[in-house]
Amino acid sequence: MSMKQNIEIKSGELIILDTAENYKIDLKERLVHFTVNAIKFLETSPCRKEYGVFRYQFSKAATSIGAIYEKSQASIPREFHARVAISLRESRETRFWYKVINKLHLGNEDTRRYVIQESKEITLVMRSIASKTKQQ
């Protein structure tokens, strides 16, 4: 599932090229899918009272990544970097909650594996964007 990616920023547009297939990936659309999948994953996990806090924290972090990144698209370069850095923090928090969920074996196992891998990849993409835009 993991792919080697070359991330470029051209004329303010993020372009992610898969080095094997060489096609564009729309990061904004990927983040929408990630948000939807995170919400759907929560539907597969139990709604017990003791899980309420982390379900809330997880859903806030997971849904914030794409929303903040979307907001960054209308920003000047300095604001863009700051918002991407916030998206990176939210993706790291999401990964933390996925680790907790994984240790508790909550939700559908196949879905859990997929969303954990996707959260790792999104964190790597956000880290790459943040480091490239910091230099500008």
Side-chain angles (χ1 to χ4, degrees), residues 34-35 38 54-68 86-87 89-95 97:
F34 177 75
T35 301
F54 82 74
R55 286 173 61 93
Y56 175 73
Q57 289 297 114
F58 164 79
S59 65
K60 278 184 59 175
T63 58
S64 293
I65 301 166
I68 294 167
I86 294 168
S87 286
R89 284 197 312 258
E90 296 297 325
S91 69
R92 290 179 57 89
E93 181 179 351
T94 301
R95 284 192 64 207
W97 290 116

Side-chain angles (χ1 to χ4, degrees), residues 9 27 31 61 64-66 68-73 75-94 122-123 125-134:
I9 300 173
L27 180 59
L31 292 171
S64 293
I65 301 166
I68 294 167
Y69 184 76
E70 185 68 36
K71 191 186 295 185
S72 76
Q73 300 303 292
S75 302
I76 61 173
R78 200 152 113 216
E79 288 174 343
F80 177 83
H81 172 74
R83 289 195 169 114
V84 168
I86 294 168
S87 286
L88 173 59
R89 284 197 312 258
E90 296 297 325
S91 69
R92 290 179 57 89
E93 181 179 351
T94 301
I122 286 174
T123 299
V125 169
M126 289 298 163
R127 185 179 301 137
S128 178
I129 297 168
S131 69
K132 287 178 189 250
T133 58
K134 188 175 185 177

Side-chain angles (χ1 to χ4, degrees), residues 13-109:
E13 179 184 348
L14 178 71
I15 298 174
I16 305 170
L17 298 172
D18 178 308
T19 55
E21 299 294 325
N22 215 18
Y23 63 91
K24 289 185 183 184
I25 299 170
D26 183 347
L27 180 59
K28 292 184 285 185
E29 191 62 30
R30 184 176 183 179
L31 292 171
V32 168
H33 286 287
F34 177 75
T35 301
V36 169
N37 287 332
I39 294 166
K40 285 182 177 181
F41 172 74
L42 280 178
E43 292 173 351
T44 71
S45 61
C47 291
R48 294 175 35 190
K49 185 177 180 178
E50 58 270 23
Y51 298 151
V53 171
F54 82 74
R55 286 173 61 93
Y56 175 73
Q57 289 297 114
F58 164 79
S59 65
K60 278 184 59 175
T63 58
S64 293
I65 301 166
I68 294 167
Y69 184 76
E70 185 68 36
K71 191 186 295 185
S72 76
Q73 300 303 292
S75 302
I76 61 173
R78 200 152 113 216
E79 288 174 343
F80 177 83
H81 172 74
R83 289 195 169 114
V84 168
I86 294 168
S87 286
L88 173 59
R89 284 197 312 258
E90 296 297 325
S91 69
R92 290 179 57 89
E93 181 179 351
T94 301
R95 284 192 64 207
F96 170 79
W97 290 116
Y98 272 135
K99 288 176 186 177
V100 170
I101 289 166
N102 197 42
K103 296 265 186 207
L104 293 170
H105 304 285
L106 299 177
N108 177 281
E109 185 176 351

